[in-house]
Structures are given as C-alpha cells and as structure tokens.
Amino acid sequence: MKTRHLAGHAVNPIGYGCMSLSHAYGVPPAPEDGARMLHRALDLGYTHLDTARLYGLGANETLIGEALKGRRSQYVLASKCGIEFDGDKRRIDCRPDTIRTAVEKSLTALQTDHIDLYYLHRRDFETPIEESIGALADLVAAGKIGAIGLSEMSADTLRRAHAVHPVAAMQTEYSLWSRNPEIAVLATCAELGCAFVAFSPVARGVFANGVRDPDALVASDLRRSQPRFNAENWPHNLQLVDRFNTLAASLDITPAQLALAWVLSRGEHVIAIPGTASVAHLEENVRARDIELSGETIDRLDSLINRHTVAGPRYSAAMQRAIETEEFA
C-alpha cells in the first residue's frame, strides 16, 4: 500500500473523517451502524481516523472509543480541542487550562491513554498561540498526545506555533472548489515538514453526487447555511458538477475518486480525510489512493473548477470570522 507520513506514522493517504457518524450532514446513523462503519474502515485498510471533541458534543469520540477499544493499535488517532459549548452557546477557547481539561475528556471518551495527533480546532484570538502550543507541548512530554496539529489557521500562525514546538499537521478544507490553502499554507507545510490534512476533499459531498437539490437536505444539515448551496449560487455550481461528472465517467472512475485523486496530486505531504456514513462510499473512497491523474486531466480539472468559476464563498460572514486561513483578494 502506498503510504504518506503523518505525526511520525506511515498512513494510508486516504484517511477517514468520522464527523458524519455523529454530526453535521444528514441524519447520523445509529451507534451500532456507526460502529460497523468504523470496523469496516479498518478492515479496508484505513489507518488514520479523524474526530473531534466537537462532533456530536463528545458522541463521536465515545463511539470510536467504544467500538474500537480492542483495535487501538491498528490506526493513527487524531482528535481536536478548542471549540467549547456552554449550553447552546459556542465559543473558541484554547487557553492552557481548557486544553488540559479537554484532553482528559477526550482520552476518557476514546478509551485510550494517548491520542496520536491532537489539533487546536480553531484559532483563539484571545489567547496567544504560543501559550496554547506550550500547553500541548507539555501534553506531548507527558505522553498523553503524540503530536500537535492546527486546524483552519494561517501560514503565519503555523510558523509561530512551529517555533515553540514542531507542528505535525495542518488541517484545512481543501478541494477543487476550496483553494484557500494554495495562497500560503500548502507551501508552508511542505517547507516545515508538516503534513497537510484536507477535510471536505469531495466538497461536502458535492463531488460524490451527494447533493443535487439542497432543499431536500434535512433542516439540520450544515450545508443549508453555506452560501454555495443557496438559491442564488447552487444552479451555477450544479452545472460545474455535471461537467465534472462527465470527466470522471470518461476516465472510468467515480466522481469522488476523481476529486480525491486531485487532492492527493497536490503534494506528497497531502492527506485526504473524506467522511461518509455509507459503506459503499467508504469502499469507493479508499480505492482513490491508487489513482494517478495525468497532467492533462489535472489541467482540465483546474480549468473547470477553481476560485473564479465557483459561485459563492465557502462560509457565511458570521462563520468566516472564526476562520483564520488566508482569503483571496
């Protein structure tokens, strides 16, 4: 199996983003079905599972811990801290004391004595990044986490963090229709020897034929609040999807596999973590690791779907305020 490096481990370049088993998209599966998905992922050769304290407000970590407690040595485990809830109120909190409390909750829920890769989920603009990284460095020294990661942060913050303690991974949305990492973060990760972990690599299901009519999504679905799916932008974006699907069919691969192969083509330090609650999609996605696209195909994709051809920003203005990744002018 082809592997790439993450937090000191050789992993399948296609990891499993576990969020949709508990949170955000559609109706989450029952816990017993989620457990079956996790076991199937390991049986298929997934070696990197990604979760967060946020997902299902702890339910996702609990699911993984309960389902896979007998298979802990078979995968690299990544989780995240820094988004806290007080009742219905959400806040970003990366103060050292909060981090220390969060990791203990995660370790308990995951039924493990260590987390291989632990991210700050978002930038806390009230707490210097150096203080947050210092707290995580102490957890590395204590053996509670194996490596430090950042999520949705800028190249400048990555450099500041890396100066305190090596940062093993930066996780950010990246796909054909979300190109922000190309401004600076993707290259900075390569320079610093930091893995780049792409979440939503199939564009929140769009490049897996997972969305045709946003109005048919359940009321709680995260995509209903995102501008690219609104009545103004979606008709244009759906035309791009149809042309993309035609290209995938001409290559005799699925649209999801084409999207994932494109992401992996962006550098040997890039890892993709598509999420799904479907066994068929789980099986489909993992096969993308063996697909190598020609330069001609990559050029056609880059011309078809890019920041100029996609309609609408990826987040609403309110959501964007919590994101520190660089924005195109």
Side-chain angles (χ1 to χ4, degrees):
M1 181 181 74
K2 296 178 180 178
T3 60
R4 294 187 177 181
H5 296 288
L6 178 67
H9 302 269
V11 299
N12 187 327
I14 302 292
Y16 184 25
C18 299
M19 180 178 74
S20 56
L21 297 179
S22 306
H23 176 78
Y25 301 130
V27 178
E32 58 271 23
D33 293 326
R36 280 191 287 270
M37 285 287 296
L38 291 166
H39 282 285
R40 183 59 179 152
L42 297 189
D43 293 342
L44 286 167
Y46 284 86
T47 54
H48 166 210
L49 304 184
D50 181 272
T51 183
R53 191 82 205 129
L54 169 68
Y55 302 160
L57 301 184
N60 201 247
E61 289 184 327
T62 298
L63 172 64
I64 292 170
E66 185 61 32
L68 300 180
K69 57 189 174 185
R71 304 183 71 175
R72 178 65 184 87
S73 64
Q74 298 178 30
Y75 61 95
V76 173
L77 173 61
S79 192
K80 310 175 195 73
C81 68
I83 300 180
E84 297 286 327
F85 275 80
D86 300 315
D88 294 333
K89 293 184 178 180
R90 168 173 162 167
R91 74 178 192 277
I92 298 174
D93 186 346
C94 296
R95 292 175 295 176
D97 284 348
T98 304
I99 291 170
R100 285 189 283 267
T101 299
V103 77
E104 295 300 336
K105 291 179 180 178
S106 290
L107 289 168
T108 298
L110 291 161
Q111 299 192 39
T112 186
D113 61 358
H114 74 286
I115 299 168
D116 299 299
L117 174 60
Y118 203 54
Y119 294 91
L120 297 179
H121 207 155
R122 292 291 186 271
R123 175 72 189 277
D124 179 352
F125 294 103
E126 303 299 321
T127 303
I129 190 65
E130 291 82 1
E131 291 185 13
S132 302
I133 296 298
L136 290 172
D138 290 341
L139 293 173
V140 172
K144 294 188 176 185
I145 65 174
I148 295 170
L150 304 178
S151 178
E152 291 277 41
M153 299 190 198
S154 68
D156 177 67
T157 296
L158 173 57
R159 290 185 185 280
R160 287 173 56 191
H162 198 76
V164 177
H165 186 281
V167 175
M170 172 69 83
Q171 183 174 143
T172 294
E173 182 177 359
Y174 189 41
S175 69
L176 277 160
W177 83 346
S178 292
R179 301 294 194 97
N180 302 68
E182 294 174 2
I183 300 171
V185 166
L186 200 61
T188 302
C189 285
E191 175 192 336
L192 297 178
C194 175
F196 180 89
V197 179
F199 77 79
S200 295
V202 294
R204 303 180 187 275
V206 168
F207 298 141
N209 280 324
V211 184
R212 296 298 298 180
D213 178 10
D215 288 339
L217 298 172
V218 299
S220 61
D221 195 289
L222 185 67
R223 290 164 290 194
R224 280 186 167 272
S225 65
Q226 295 179 339
R228 289 176 179 169
F229 297 91
N230 67 24
E232 178 183 357
N233 296 319
W234 180 247
H236 170 84
N237 291 332
L238 184 58
Q239 292 180 28
L240 295 179
V241 172
D242 289 338
R243 294 170 63 189
F244 174 81
N245 289 349
T246 298
L247 177 53
S250 74
L251 298 170
D252 198 27
I253 58 178
T254 70
Q257 289 169 343
L258 179 57
L260 291 168
W262 179 88
V263 168
L264 295 183
S265 77
R266 311 315 276 185
E268 288 297 315
H269 64 307
V270 177
I271 292 165
I273 52 167
T276 183
S278 160
V279 172
H281 287 163
L282 194 72
E283 295 170 347
E284 171 190 349
N285 291 343
V286 77
R287 292 195 292 272
R289 70 187 177 202
D290 298 318
I291 297 171
E292 294 189 12
L293 303 178
S294 69
E296 178 186 2
T297 296
I298 290 172
D299 289 344
R300 290 176 67 185
L301 288 168
D302 286 337
S303 177
L304 174 63
I305 302 174
N306 58 63
R307 68 185 181 92
H308 299 292
T309 63
V310 172
R314 65 186 181 119
Y315 287 125
S316 67
M319 285 292 293
Q320 187 60 46
R321 284 194 287 271
I323 308 297
E324 201 207 18
T325 45
E326 292 85 354
E327 287 292 299
F328 289 103

